[in-house]
Amino acid sequence: GESVGLHLPTLSVQEGDNSIINCAYSNSASDYFIWYKQESGKGPQFIIDIRSNMDKRQGQRVTVLLNKTVKHLSLQIAATQPGDSAVYFCAENLGSGYSTLTFGKGTMLLVSP
Amino acid sequence: DVKVTQSSRYLVKRTGEKVFLECVQDMDHENMFWYRQDPGLGLRLIYFSYDVKMKEKGDIPEGYSVSREKKERFSLILESASTNQTSMYLCASRSQGRGTGELFFGEGSRLTVL
């Protein structure tokens, strides 16, 4: 399988539990943030995004929380399923003049049945 | 369904060979990107392009070049492959130029340089 998960922080949960994945971002000027999911052997897939003028955004089974005071982002996954097992990355956009995203190193989520 | 297609999923090349990695997107996006992904280092930006024939260096451009002759196609070139360029290469595209909107990724090209 894909070796992207080596050396990553790992979160192990049981099926049905809620998962919280954390991310510290680097730049206080960042104004847009995205969470991506990457399954083994695949490219990253968009999960949810949030702009800096918000502190919470909800999707289907996922919630992103943004704390600009401490430059912290979290992804909450409700009722985690085995199919949620993957590497999760946060990404920040450094301001409206930039078109690139800077990615965190990722967290591996392992869900046991 | 939107799509970013990378032409090769797996390549094995020898040191010193010239390598082309091709990427095509069907979303009419202005911005295209090449990242490499390595264990423990995450995704690092090599080059990006915000328009045809335009290119900008990312964080790790050394040893790479790019070509954007058409809007839908962005190629990554390794003029003389070296073993430290063994990696997973990810192409992505994005529509807005003002810093919001998701990146759409391809499935990746795993390059091994012997």
Side-chain angles (χ1 to χ4, degrees), chain A residues 36-80:
Chain A
Y36 281 91
K37 172 186 180 182
Q38 186 175 26
E39 296 175 86
S40 181
K42 296 186 176 182
Q45 293 178 289
F46 172 88
I47 303 173
I48 192 167
D49 60 0
I50 188 167
R51 295 176 188 267
S52 59
N53 60 355
M54 304 171 69
D55 53 21
K56 180 179 180 179
R57 191 163 188 224
Q58 289 184 288
Q60 188 177 15
R61 280 201 309 119
V62 295
T63 301
V64 55
L65 299 177
L66 175 62
N67 184 332
K68 294 182 286 293
T69 303
V70 294
K71 293 190 288 186
H72 184 267
L73 198 65
S74 68
L75 177 71
Q76 300 178 0
I77 304 174
T80 314

Side-chain angles (χ1 to χ4, degrees), chain A residues 2-4 6-7 32 34 36 38 41-44 46 51 89 93 96 98-101 103 105, chain B residues 9 31 33 35 37 39-41 43 45 48 88 90 94 98-103 105-107 110:
Chain A
E2 179 56 60
S3 63
V4 69
L6 291 177
H7 316 300
Y32 177 67
I34 303 180
Y36 281 91
Q38 186 175 26
K42 296 186 176 182
F46 172 88
R51 295 176 188 267
F89 296 95
N93 195 94
S96 60
Y98 293 83
S99 64
T100 64
L101 292 173
F103 287 81
K105 292 186 172 44
Chain B
R9 291 297 308 276
N31 301 313
F33 307 82
Y35 288 86
Q37 184 175 33
L41 297 176
L43 279 77
L45 182 64
F48 67 101
M88 169 69 84
L90 290 162
R94 190 184 198 188
R98 286 168 41 185
T100 60
E102 66 180 281
L103 285 179
F105 283 91
E107 293 291 278
R110 175 155 290 282

